[in-house]
Amino acid sequence: MCLGIPGRIVAVTDAARQMAMAEVSGVRREVNVACVASAPLEDLVGKWALIHVGFAMALIDEDEAAATLDALRELGEAQEALEAMAAGDAALGERA
Amino acid sequence: MRYMEEFRDPKPAKAVLAKIAAVVDEIGATAEKPLHIMEICGGHTHAIFRYGLDKLTHPGIEFIHGPGCPVCVLPRARVDECIAIAERPEVIFTTFGDAMRVPGTQKSLIQAKAEGADIRMVYSPLDALELARRNPEREVVFFGLGFETTTPSTALSIQAAAREGLANFSVFCNHITVPPPIRALLSDPDMVLDGFVGPGHVSMVIGIHPYDFIAEDFGKPIVVAGFEPLDLLQSVLMVVEQIRDGRAEVENQYARVVPEHGNPVSIAAIADVYEMRPSFEWRGLGEIDESGLRIRAAYRGYDAEAKFGIGYGAAARVVEEPEGCACGQVMTGRLKPTGCPHFGKGCTPGMPLGALMVSSEGACAAYYQYGGARAAAE
Ligand code: SF4
């Protein structure tokens, strides 16, 4: 929950709400980009960000993203983050 | 040195370890008279155990595991208050998975869910917002938990709910801040800390200046660190170099992610939505002044405490910890996890008795998880 995970911003999905699609270890997830926003928001596309609980919190370069992802995998935290994302998706479906 | 194999590239690590050893020898610290260095962040605790950094570094360094695991410091009374909200029939209670197994006085969230409460694990407060949009007839409550790293996410979610006029969304706020418990620990005359490895991702939000008091008021060095193993070793080197030189400064080893003044958008959102509580209870540490946040009156409609009349402290405090539980002593570095009578017996990650066994960032869980590998290596 505290470590976050690197993801690559692939598209702006809702500029008014500052939402963008990020790709995290092959999984796509809509994230909030308010904390790293630049004008125009489209400039973020293609960049890497450290994503904490659905919010892009810092822009990082590609090498840093790769090194961070490696460290997270070794700690088992990358898997944990991906499982949490899947749990979040499941929760939206539950009893709905 | 089995742990060395765990590094993808052991050469740079070996070089830093040698430098650390040389500096520690210069200082004259030994296993009998070690330097006490506290890593504040639970992510760092986990990494130290995963890589066996405490075994690889000079025996004149002893790591003290700090209070930086938000799940571990959540008091039992607060878990009870949270379950009281979750068990209301109109509520969909949403939480990070980490919090599910934290024991309250009677039960944990996972037990409450088994008994029928509608409790759902989510990845993000944004999932909770979406649930609120899709279930207008239900009350969706998000369990806001964590240090400054996660505080902006709930602040921004509350702002978004307010903009949308989403009236069935609220946050049960348990956000806490890193600096106050460090001040409390440093003010404790029994505590002998020589320096700190500071949290990277918390600092990414707040910057490095909130730690100035550690250097200025208490004369201790602190180095903000990334959580890759080499980051940690480099930060330890920077701490011991400061000790050797008689310096006490706030240094930033993780400048590639941590800006000196933090993230302005996050800081503004936190200030807009939250204010300090006069005090907040930390498991193992007790009440600490101005260490926890609550939702400002302007956002009262999104405050689960106000909405459900729970407040802070409706449950009886201070709730005693289970008989013989040594969480408090472990958290303040007075006892190793293995020194607790429950360790590995009544208290395991599968059935945690104390909070330090709940999350992989808790010192006891880290000891337990990596203990087997460690015993084999020794
Ligand atoms: S073993 Fe369990 S009860 Fe003992 S200090 Fe650790 S978490 Fe607390």
Side-chain angles (χ1 to χ4, degrees):
Chain A
M1 155 182 141
C2 302
L3 288 184
I5 188 163
R8 190 183 197 140
I9 315 267
V10 293
V12 174
T13 50
D14 183 341
R17 285 169 48 219
Q18 298 192 292
M19 298 296 289
M21 190 59 73
E23 207 173 87
V24 181
S25 262
V27 175
R28 288 194 164 211
R29 172 94 199 179
E30 209 181 17
V31 299
N32 180 295
V33 292
C35 295
V36 295
S38 54
L41 220 48
E42 262 67 26
D43 287 358
L44 290 173
V45 173
K47 293 199 170 142
W48 287 87
L50 211 47
I51 297 166
H52 285 258
V53 300
F55 290 75
M57 297 300 297
L59 294 177
I60 51 178
D61 66 32
E62 194 163 354
D63 292 342
E64 174 67 14
T68 303
L69 209 48
D70 273 338
L72 288 169
R73 286 204 185 99
E74 303 231 330
L75 290 173
E77 301 265 355
Q79 197 50 37
E80 215 169 271
L82 292 172
E83 280 165 14
M85 286 180 197
D89 292 343
L92 289 175
E94 222 174 292
R95 296 193 211 176
Chain B
M1 275 215 203
R2 179 182 176 277
Y3 288 105
M4 232 35 215
E5 296 157 18
E6 313 273 0
F7 287 90
R8 263 179 315 135
D9 186 1
K11 257 201 216 119
K14 270 188 188 147
V16 182
L17 282 167
K19 282 189 199 161
I20 292 174
V23 176
V24 174
D25 280 337
E26 264 184 83
I27 297 170
T30 59
E32 290 71 41
K33 251 181 97 12
L35 297 169
H36 294 102
I37 298 180
M38 173 175 276
E39 86 280 1
I40 296 170
C41 164
H44 284 157
T45 303
H46 187 181
I48 285 170
F49 280 97
R50 171 68 183 82
Y51 293 98
L53 300 185
D54 55 331
K55 298 287 173 199
L56 289 171
T57 45
H58 189 289
I61 291 179
E62 187 170 338
F63 287 99
I64 308 287
H65 316 300
C69 159
V71 169
C72 301
V73 297
L74 191 68
R76 297 213 296 166
R78 202 59 178 161
V79 177
D80 293 350
E81 287 166 353
C82 146
I83 289 171
I85 296 176
E87 287 182 334
R88 298 173 72 105
E90 75 275 28
V91 165
I92 298 176
F93 194 85
T94 56
T95 174
F96 295 133
D98 311 45
M100 289 294 279
R101 286 182 303 124
V102 190
T105 49
Q106 310 295 328
K107 52 188 149 184
S108 62
L109 279 169
I110 213 164
Q111 287 162 312
K113 182 177 167 81
E115 290 170 20
D118 191 352
I119 298 171
R120 306 188 193 183
M121 276 194 273
V122 292
Y123 164 64
S124 165
L126 296 173
D127 297 336
L129 272 183
E130 186 56 30
L131 269 171
R133 289 187 198 106
R134 291 188 193 182
N135 297 275
E137 73 297 345
R138 304 282 300 277
E139 280 292 339
V140 175
V141 182
F142 181 73
F143 192 10
L145 185 68
F147 287 102
E148 289 89 335
T149 321
T150 49
T151 312
S153 66
T154 55
L156 288 161
S157 299
I158 289 173
Q159 287 177 330
R163 268 198 305 273
E164 285 178 42
L166 206 58
N168 65 328
F169 171 80
S170 60
V171 170
F172 183 51
C173 177
N174 295 277
H175 287 298
I176 44 180
T177 61
V178 162
I182 304 306
R183 183 182 284 281
L185 288 172
L186 281 168
S187 306
D188 180 342
D190 288 344
M191 198 75 195
V192 274
L193 291 170
D194 299 296
F196 294 88
V197 171
H201 290 167
V202 161
S203 311
M204 164 185 81
V205 171
I206 63 174
I208 63 168
H209 290 298
Y211 311 118
D212 286 349
F213 73 94
I214 296 176
E216 287 167 11
D217 300 351
F218 294 95
K220 306 289 181 195
I222 171 164
V223 178
V224 170
F227 65 91
E228 290 158 37
L230 204 54
D231 287 326
L232 272 164
L233 290 179
Q234 253 148 12
S235 304
V236 169
L237 175 61
M238 289 163 79
V239 170
V240 294
E241 283 175 340
Q242 284 201 42
I243 296 172
R244 177 198 60 194
D245 302 345
R247 287 179 291 132
E249 292 164 17
V250 183
E251 290 183 298
N252 187 1
Q253 184 274 336
Y254 199 32
R256 59 192 198 275
V257 169
V258 173
E260 180 183 349
H261 296 287
N263 183 292
V265 177
S266 301
I267 292 172
I270 294 173
D272 177 50
V273 173
Y274 295 114
E275 64 187 5
M276 271 296 171
R277 295 175 195 271
S279 82
F280 196 71
E281 186 192 349
W282 295 58
R283 192 185 290 236
L285 301 175
E287 290 276 343
I288 301 178
D289 288 348
E290 307 209 324
S291 64
L293 300 172
R294 69 179 170 213
I295 296 170
R296 287 186 188 276
Y299 292 99
R300 199 177 160 78
Y302 303 96
D303 183 354
E305 283 179 20
K307 206 170 209 175
F308 302 105
I310 291 282
Y312 170 69
R317 342 191 85 81
V318 166
V319 177
E320 291 298 320
E321 290 296 327
E323 178 83 22
C325 163
C327 285
Q329 280 162 284
V330 172
M331 210 173 296
T332 48
R334 291 178 172 87
L335 198 70
K336 293 279 166 208
T338 42
C340 172
H342 298 299
F343 182 84
K345 301 185 187 92
C347 188
T348 60
M351 282 283 276
L353 181 66
L356 294 176
M357 198 55 104
V358 169
S359 141
S360 56
E361 299 180 356
C364 292
Y367 257 76
Y368 190 88
Q369 188 181 353
Y370 297 110
R374 174 154 299 190
E378 276 164 3

